[in-house]
Amino acid sequence: MEIINRRQRMSSVARKVRRDQDQTIGLVPTMGALHEGHLSLVREARRMCDVVVVTVFVNPTQFGLDEDFAHYPRDLTKDAARLTDYNVDYIFAPSIEEVYPKDFATYVTVGGLSEQLEGAARPGHFRGVATVVAVLLNIVRPDFAFFGQKDAQQTLIVKRLVRDLAFETEIVVLPTIREESGLALSSRNAYLSEEEKRAAVILSHALTRAKEAYKAGERSGSRLVETVRATVAGEPLARLDYVSVTDADTLENLEKLDDRTVLIALAVNFGKTRLIDNIVLNRKKNGGSAAAS
Ligand code: PAF
């Protein structure tokens, strides 16, 4: 496993793999602080591709001014040690200047999908995500890139970016990995106190309640929202930021649920820590919903 810091070296290594060795490349973009969720992406990349590249880059442009960029956990040695067991070929861990050279001025905005939910709560966040993903895809030019369903809106935006700008990369979305309690794995779980961590299972509980209501025949978007809201309200440490019931492909709010695939997504604050989670209902068996893939 080689750790590469320079974009030129990464590009030339990837070019050689593609052209001279005719091998496929799988890219797993991360911000480090790797956990089982990331490792599930790496495992699938390893299974599907000849060469696996994991990027570790805490991307400043996707953090708001009052967010946790400065405190985001960074430990490349620990991340690299975790990846040694997974037969990863390259870690690309560039500096900020390598990704955003002096006078960097080109940003990517995926219209429509970027404004609601996380985009409304975190203005500019998805512009930063789309921009860094575009840069990473251009440097590595992978055949496949792997993302987790936990960031459902991000997966939709990346898929649209790839389609609209004609990147030759297939986006693979893999299920959310959860602790036994139901808590979705996230690098930000590390910020939680023991008490907050116990309380944070309320996100998956609330989604499970909504799913049960849906299974029992509930088809009103606002009543499903209310189910989630009431469940979260029962946890004193939790402050609900938003809950939404939307079309899983377009993120259009759904009042009356029909045969479309549904995404129920929420964000909840515990002290200064903000967690997100989601569930997909009425998932189409063959393709269909992007978020459900
Ligand atoms: O999901 C993440 O960790 C980040 O948003 C990503 C895709 C690595 C871009 O910085």
Side-chain angles (χ1 to χ4, degrees), residues 28 30 34-48 52 54 82-83 86 146-150 172-178 185:
V28 183
T30 82
L34 302 180
H35 52 65
E36 267 307 313
H38 299 112
L39 298 175
S40 73
L41 306 181
V42 173
R43 234 177 266 122
E44 186 62 6
R46 182 72 283 162
R47 197 185 68 74
M48 288 176 62
V52 175
V54 176
R82 293 212 80 174
L83 292 173
Y86 291 84
F146 297 81
F147 293 84
Q149 170 63 24
K150 189 177 82 66
V172 181
V173 179
L174 295 171
T176 303
I177 304 295
R178 299 178 181 280
L185 296 194

Side-chain angles (χ1 to χ4, degrees), residues 209-270:
R209 286 239 178 113
K211 181 179 173 182
E212 283 162 0
Y214 178 83
K215 276 190 174 164
E218 182 60 81
R219 292 294 181 270
S220 154
S222 50
R223 278 201 292 272
L224 288 172
V225 162
E226 198 37 49
T227 300
V228 172
R229 202 181 283 284
T231 309
V232 174
E235 170 48 65
L237 294 182
R239 271 180 301 114
L240 183 69
D241 183 351
Y242 68 78
V243 48
S244 68
V245 175
T246 63
D247 180 305
D249 292 314
T250 64
L251 299 184
E252 175 199 337
N253 267 316
L254 291 180
E255 178 39 48
K256 197 171 171 353
L257 278 56
D258 46 28
D259 62 348
R260 284 182 281 185
T261 301
V262 178
L263 177 75
I264 306 185
L266 79 167
V268 180
N269 292 299
F270 297 87

Side-chain angles (χ1 to χ4, degrees), residues 29-31 38 55 57 59 62 125 129 132-133 147 151 154:
T30 82
M31 298 206 299
H38 299 112
T55 66
F57 178 64
N59 173 35
Q62 68 186 76
H125 170 67
V129 170
V132 79
V133 169
F147 293 84
D151 297 303
Q154 172 170 280

Side-chain angles (χ1 to χ4, degrees), residues 77-95:
T77 310
K78 196 168 159 196
D79 288 336
R82 293 212 80 174
L83 292 173
T84 49
D85 294 343
Y86 291 84
N87 211 6
V88 164
D89 298 279
Y90 301 99
I91 296 178
F92 180 44
S95 64

